Amino acid sequence: VTSNSGEQTWLDGKQIQILNTTHNLVPFGQITYPNPNSEMPGTCEPEDPTPRNSVVEGYALDQGIELGDTGVKYVELLINGGLYANTVTSCFSDPDWGGLTNCYGLQSLDVERIFPTVANSPHARFRFVLDVGWLISEIGYSQGFHEITIRAGDYFGNVANIAEIPVAFFCDENTGNEGSFGFIDHPANGELIDGITP
């Protein structure tokens, strides 16, 4: 780095590794909802006919480009390290569950803008749905802290845990009425914008 008055200094270097065999690269991605440490409510009373579902969604990508079968093959949701759902074997569509559930390959125009050169970026989103009340009352999960992990595998056999967040399961019956919630997706925090922007 050279200043306007001529002083020079060297910044600390970084080590990098260049891999030319991209089919060996593991999948990567992110959980975009819920946020870490979120509370995931459920209806735990078995006589209540209206279960309350909690969504886990995000995106998964794979950089492989050399082989015919490249990209993400499946995405899995794990709770405390145990498999809950796999997008190949668990995917279904039901309007009561919000449409496509436990599925991968949902449209992801936002992800495509960030990773335009990655082959499966236009359809990189996954969406899982948890009936937390059923998990607590029927399966035996406790109320309180749990780990949600997203694991993805590609067509070449590479598997990676691409995201993990802590969450809290709890029963609606133990809480009062809750406030509304939501997000502003665009613009990003601190983003510089001009003209007309959505």
Side-chain angles (χ1 to χ4, degrees), residues 48-120:
D48 192 327
T50 57
R52 182 172 177 179
N53 297 323
S54 294
V55 174
V56 177
E57 61 185 9
Y59 66 88
L61 294 166
D62 184 71
Q63 290 279 32
I65 58 174
E66 290 121 342
L67 305 176
D69 289 329
T70 59
V72 174
K73 184 177 183 180
Y74 63 86
V75 178
E76 294 176 327
L77 172 67
L78 294 83
I79 304 174
N80 301 334
L83 180 63
Y84 172 78
N86 176 296
T87 56
V88 174
T89 58
S90 307
C91 180
F92 66 94
S93 182
D94 186 327
D96 293 336
W97 288 68
L100 288 171
T101 301
N102 302 338
C103 300
Y104 175 73
L106 284 66
Q107 189 177 46
S108 54
L109 300 180
D110 56 333
V111 177
E112 184 182 19
R113 282 193 297 274
I114 300 169
F115 302 101
T117 60
V118 179
N120 59 333

Side-chain angles (χ1 to χ4, degrees), residues 14-20 25:
K14 296 280 187 181
Q15 289 187 344
I16 64 170
Q17 182 178 14
I18 298 173
L19 299 174
N20 292 325
L25 298 177

Side-chain angles (χ1 to χ4, degrees), residues 29-179:
Q30 180 180 347
I31 296 173
T32 56
Y33 186 85
N35 290 327
N37 299 305
S38 291
E39 294 182 345
M40 302 180 78
T43 304
C44 300
E45 293 295 331
E47 61 272 6
D48 192 327
T50 57
R52 182 172 177 179
N53 297 323
S54 294
V55 174
V56 177
E57 61 185 9
Y59 66 88
L61 294 166
D62 184 71
Q63 290 279 32
I65 58 174
E66 290 121 342
L67 305 176
D69 289 329
T70 59
V72 174
K73 184 177 183 180
Y74 63 86
V75 178
E76 294 176 327
L77 172 67
L78 294 83
I79 304 174
N80 301 334
L83 180 63
Y84 172 78
N86 176 296
T87 56
V88 174
T89 58
S90 307
C91 180
F92 66 94
S93 182
D94 186 327
D96 293 336
W97 288 68
L100 288 171
T101 301
N102 302 338
C103 300
Y104 175 73
L106 284 66
Q107 189 177 46
S108 54
L109 300 180
D110 56 333
V111 177
E112 184 182 19
R113 282 193 297 274
I114 300 169
F115 302 101
T117 60
V118 179
N120 59 333
S121 63
H123 295 92
R125 287 210 162 272
F126 59 80
R127 180 178 184 270
F128 294 97
V129 179
L130 300 175
D131 182 345
V132 172
W134 177 77
L135 290 172
I136 293 171
S137 62
E138 300 295 325
I139 303 301
Y141 282 91
S142 62
Q143 295 187 66
F145 173 82
H146 296 279
E147 286 281 344
I148 298 290
T149 304
I150 296 295
R151 180 168 63 196
D154 65 17
Y155 280 96
F156 201 70
N158 300 304
V159 179
N161 290 348
I162 63 173
E164 185 173 74
I165 60 170
V167 296
F169 292 171
F170 69 93
C171 296
D172 270 344
E173 294 81 5
N174 298 337
T175 63
N177 190 22
E178 301 166 19

